[in-house]
Amino acid sequence: IFIGSTLSEKAVAGALSYSTSKHAVAGLMRATTQDLFGKGIHTILLCPGFTDTPMLRRHVGNNAEVLSSIASGNSYNRLVEPEEIAELVLM
């Protein structure tokens, strides 16, 4: 199980290192998929939306209006909680 990001497939200004690392995770997952083909082992790249983490809050601040705007880009119009990602990984 690989943890990516919405930035695993795109890039945004001001996130060079983060975007590069998440693109690398996507490439690693694709290469691993090819290496494991036919062995009954599957890979997955989990790409959650914007997640309520200290890193996000450091990057954008604790401004409720900014956080709400960012959250509106997620499917349920809210930030993803880290525990939700953990639950998917543990399934």
Side-chain angles (χ1 to χ4, degrees), residues 32-86:
T32 302
T33 298
Q34 295 300 314
D35 288 347
L36 296 174
F37 181 77
K39 295 183 175 150
I41 301 171
H42 301 272
T43 60
I44 183 172
L45 176 62
L46 180 61
C47 295
F50 289 104
T51 304
D52 193 3
T53 63
M55 185 179 85
L56 176 71
R57 289 181 180 267
R58 276 192 310 274
H59 188 69
V60 303
N62 283 316
N63 182 308
E65 190 173 308
V66 172
L67 291 169
S68 178
S69 175
I70 290 170
S72 71
N74 283 348
S75 296
Y76 295 106
N77 292 313
R78 64 174 179 78
L79 295 175
V80 176
E81 293 296 327
E83 294 80 12
E84 293 174 285
I85 299 167

